C-alpha cells in the first residue's frame, strides 16, 4: 500500500448493491458469507486519497480513487467495485464514527539561526493552547526544523532547541509536560527544497500536532 492512508475494514456484509468500477455491469444482491470488502477513503488528516493494492493468491486489484473497493473471498480473485457514499456509510459508518478526530496542526516560524519566534508565530500561542485544552486527553508532538545553513549535526541541535523552547513555552502556560513530545529533524524535511547553505525563512519552523 502506498500514498495516503487507505481505510480498510474487513467486514462480512449481509446484503449490498455494488457497481463495478468501470463499465455498466453491476454486482447486486447478497454478498456471500466469508466475503470481505475493502474501500479506499480520503485521509481525514491530509485530505488526500492515495492508492492501495489488494491481493490474494489468485489475483490483485488496485484501488486508486475514493470509494474504489475490492471484494475479497477465498477461491476467487479480488473483484474491483465502486461504492456509493451511502454504501460506505451503511457498511462502515460505525467504524468511521469510532475513529479519533484528525490532529490539529500548527506551524511556528523562527528568526534566522535563533530559537526566537517571529512576532506572527508568537501571536498563535494562545490559539494553540486553546485547542490543546479542548482535548480531554492531551497529546502534543512538537518537531523542530531548520533551513540548510550550517551542518546537518548543528541543524539537528538547532531544531531540537527550537522544539524544546516551544515545549517549555506550552508547559509555562499550564500544559502537562508529560503530554508533550519534542524532537528534531534539523534540515532534513524542508517545506521549501533548497540547495545546501541556503537561508529560507519558511524552513525555520516548528510543526505542532495536537491529537
Amino acid at each position: 500500500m502506498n500514498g495516503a492512508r487507505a481505510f480498510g475494514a474487513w467486514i462480512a456484509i449481509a446484503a449490498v448493491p455494488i457497481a463495478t468500477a468501470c463499465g455498466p455491469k453491476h454486482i447486486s444482491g447478497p454478498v456471500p458469507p466469508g466475503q470481505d470488502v475493502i474501500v479506499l477513503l480520503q485521509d481525514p488528516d491530509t485530505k488526500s486519497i492515495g492508492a492501495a493494492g489488494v491481493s490474494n493468491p489468485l489475483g490483485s486489484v488496485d484501488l486508486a480513487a475514493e470509494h474504489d473497493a475490492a471484494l475479497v473471498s477465498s477461491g476467487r480473485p479480488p473483484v474491483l467495485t465502486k461504492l456509493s457514499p451511502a454504501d460506505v456509510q451503511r457498511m462502515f459508518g460505525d467504524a468511521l464514527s469510532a475513529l479519533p478526530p484528525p490532529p490539529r496542526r500548527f506551524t511556528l516560524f523562527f528568526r534566522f539561526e535563533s530559537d526566537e519566534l517571529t512576532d506572527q508565530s508568537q501571536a498563535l500561542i494562545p490559539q494553540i493552547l486553546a485547542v490543546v485544552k479542548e482535548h480531554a486527553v492531551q497529546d502534543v508532538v512538537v518537531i523542530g526544523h531548520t533551513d540548510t545553513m550550517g551542518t546537518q549535526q548543528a541543524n539537528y541541535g538547532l531544531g531540537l532547541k527550537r522544539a524544546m523552547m516551544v515545549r517549555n513555552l506550552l508547559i509555562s502556560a499550564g500544559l502537562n509536560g508529560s503530554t508533550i513530545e519534542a524532537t528534531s529533524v534539523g534540515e532534513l524535511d524542508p517545506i521549501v527544497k533548497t540547495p545546501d547553505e541556503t537561508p529560507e525563512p519558511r524552513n525555520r519552523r516548528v510543526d505542532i500536532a495536537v491529537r
Side-chain angles (χ1 to χ4, degrees):
M1 187 182 300
N2 53 53
R5 177 174 57 200
F7 176 78
W10 296 89
I11 302 177
I13 304 300
V16 57
I18 301 174
T20 57
C22 56
K25 182 181 177 183
H26 289 262
I27 302 173
S28 60
V31 174
Q35 189 165 67
D36 299 315
V37 181
I38 299 172
V39 62
L40 185 67
L41 300 181
Q42 183 186 75
D43 188 302
D45 184 13
T46 66
K47 306 303 181 184
S48 58
I49 303 300
V54 179
S55 64
N56 67 12
L58 298 178
S60 64
V61 295
D62 293 325
L63 310 182
E66 187 172 23
H67 298 160
D68 278 1
L71 301 181
V72 186
S73 59
S74 61
R76 293 183 56 191
V79 176
L80 181 65
T81 73
K82 190 83 169 182
L83 302 185
S84 70
D87 289 333
V88 171
Q89 185 60 37
R90 183 169 64 255
M91 297 180 202
F92 304 107
D94 289 344
L96 291 171
S97 63
L99 290 174
R104 291 283 302 276
R105 299 187 182 276
F106 301 88
T107 299
L108 303 178
F109 295 99
F110 289 78
R111 302 186 189 280
F112 180 61
E113 292 188 344
S114 168
D115 63 350
E116 182 182 355
L117 291 170
T118 63
D119 292 341
Q120 295 90 335
S121 292
Q122 184 71 45
L124 283 175
I125 296 299
Q127 181 183 350
I128 296 170
L129 291 170
V131 168
V132 174
K133 291 178 180 179
E134 289 173 359
H135 290 66
V137 178
Q138 297 173 357
D139 181 11
V140 183
V141 178
V142 181
I143 304 175
H145 302 261
T146 73
D147 59 23
T148 58
M149 296 294 292
T151 67
Q152 283 195 17
Q153 182 177 3
N155 283 333
Y156 173 83
L158 178 56
L160 186 59
K161 186 178 180 181
R162 288 170 173 167
M164 291 301 296
M165 188 281 292
V166 171
R167 179 179 183 274
N168 292 336
L169 189 64
L170 297 176
I171 292 171
S172 296
L175 300 187
N176 186 338
S178 66
T179 67
I180 306 171
E181 177 186 352
T183 187
S184 170
V185 295
E187 64 182 60
L188 298 181
D189 186 24
I191 291 177
V192 181
K193 304 292 186 182
T194 69
D196 198 23
E197 299 298 329
T198 303
E200 172 50 61
R202 287 169 290 181
N203 292 336
R204 300 194 293 265
R205 73 193 197 279
V206 158
D207 291 330
I208 301 173
V210 181
R211 302 182 294 197

